[in-house]
Amino acid sequence: MARIALGVTGGIAAYKAVLLLRLLSEAGHDVRVIPTANALRMVGTATWEALSGHPAHTSVFEDTTGAEHVEVGTWADLLVVAPATASFLARAAAGIADDLLGTTYLVATCPVLVVPAMHTQMWQHPATRANVQVLRARGTHVLEPATGRLTGTDSGPGRLPEPPEIAAAALALLAEPVLRGTRVVVSAGGTREPIDPVRFIGNRSSGRQGIEIARAAAQLGAEVELVAANVDSALLAGLPVVVTHVETAAQLAERMVTRAADADIVVMAAAVADFRPAAASDHKVKKDTGLALTLEQTPDILAGLVARRRPGQTVVGFAAETGDDAGTPRAHAEAKARRKGADLLVFNEVSDTKGFGDVPNDVVMLDAAGSEVARAAGSKADVARAVIHEVARLRGVARMSR
Ligand code: C5P
């Protein structure tokens, strides 16, 4: 959980900052709002206080007991100002500290994200351009406004970006690039094993969990390749990683083994077929001839990667388990962790509502001895961040002990 100070200035888009506050809080962060006096003409104190659970002061004279004019700036891990008016940009550029937001901006040593919103003419005015340049030169992150409908009937650049976009930019600043310089290869999706040129044996994996793992690693500065087995390309749009497409378990194995030779972190999130037709027909099998399949086992790619693990390499596997007569899902997962020997085995129980597709996930991370080292629940992105965080932690510990 990070501590976020959210400055709101007096633009009409202040109402969108309410949604931004909600998104940042729902992402698990502690948010304190600092509205300017003009922001309160748009959205009142009660809204900011009720939604943040903190007092929302404007002036440095409202609470003088705790030196709030200094305290909020030192408290914050991140300062976001959204919307930022032309006037705020000018005051920040000049270092004018005549209210609580102004003092907080000068005190803060954390990353600062400023999200301007104003009419196009104001945004394009040389005074504003110069102020933005000063702020950027100082290391303040200034988002480009969106282009679209403005307050009245006019439209152009100057519109506040939508709250989810601002929240994503804010959260990206919170993530320290602890994996910078680290090479990561992640497999995702489900393999398809051909029966004939038109049929295959496949599985229900969408690839979402592996995609989110790749994204989470990239967000922490890693150089990532995603080896995608039959993943819908719409899910890959905008993903900041190199993607290699494969279809079969054999192709996936070949690519993973090649990339793992110089990777620091290897994640096997793909659902690999355990069996494939021993021989695929090179022509379409006709319905009236009948179809008897002889299956052969595919090699266990994860086990192979563990066996070839380079010194210092972290190998992560996944295990989706259901219970049966022989044991609970957890017991199967613990046995698998010991059998596979990965540094981390991310186990989730599969049921109608958990595991596959666009549904929340709930995982337990086990070490190679089958002992629990961490848990995570939430969206696949939340789980991915937790897994990558655990990998980073493991690598930190490994570095220290050597
Ligand atoms: O044995 P099981 O398939 O449940 O193990 C799951 C883990 O092993 C996943 O990380 C999956 O990517 C990997 N796996 C593999 N090669 C196989 C089967 C599974 O690497 N043939």
Side-chain angles (χ1 to χ4, degrees), residues 187 268-274 298-303 316-321 336 339-340 345:
S187 69
M268 275 298 296
V272 184
D274 291 317
T298 57
D300 190 320
I301 306 169
L302 178 60
V316 181
F318 275 73
E321 301 289 342
K336 188 167 289 180
R339 206 167 56 239
K340 300 239 180 192
L345 189 77

Side-chain angles (χ1 to χ4, degrees), residues 68-246:
E68 201 180 16
H69 70 292
V70 177
E71 195 263 330
V72 189
T74 50
W75 169 88
D77 300 315
L78 173 70
L79 169 62
V80 181
V81 183
T85 56
S87 167
F88 173 80
L89 298 179
R91 285 185 296 127
I96 294 175
D98 57 355
D99 63 3
L100 186 57
L101 182 56
T103 58
T104 301
Y105 175 72
L106 291 190
V107 168
T109 52
C110 61
V112 179
L113 177 69
V114 169
V115 195
M118 63 199 72
H119 273 90
T120 305
Q121 295 88 328
M122 296 171 76
W123 174 243
Q124 289 173 343
H125 193 280
T128 307
R129 306 308 316 146
N131 290 330
V132 168
Q133 214 175 3
V134 166
L135 294 178
R136 284 186 173 148
R138 212 179 264 159
T140 296
H141 300 267
V142 183
L143 273 195
E144 282 299 307
T147 298
R149 174 104 193 254
L150 301 170
T151 315
T153 51
D154 48 348
S155 78
R159 192 180 146 86
L160 190 79
E162 292 310 310
E165 203 183 310
I166 303 172
L171 299 182
L173 289 180
L174 279 175
E176 277 180 50
V178 290
L179 293 183
R180 184 167 289 159
T182 306
R183 283 156 302 186
V184 180
V185 56
V186 182
S187 69
T191 63
R192 292 180 180 173
E193 309 305 323
I195 295 171
D196 67 17
V198 296
R199 303 183 180 94
F200 58 82
I201 297 177
N203 62 66
R204 293 172 56 200
S205 176
S206 63
R208 282 187 172 87
Q209 187 63 76
I211 290 170
E212 292 307 330
I213 296 265
R215 193 191 317 274
Q219 271 170 357
L220 294 187
E223 247 171 69
V224 186
E225 176 169 327
L226 180 74
V227 181
N230 310 297
V231 172
D232 183 348
S233 60
L235 296 177
L236 300 169
L239 190 69
V241 311
V242 174
V243 179
T244 305
H245 292 275
V246 296

Side-chain angles (χ1 to χ4, degrees), residues 19 24 38 124 190 219 228 255 342 379:
L19 298 175
L24 295 173
N38 282 341
Q124 289 173 343
Q219 271 170 357
R255 189 66 195 161
S379 66

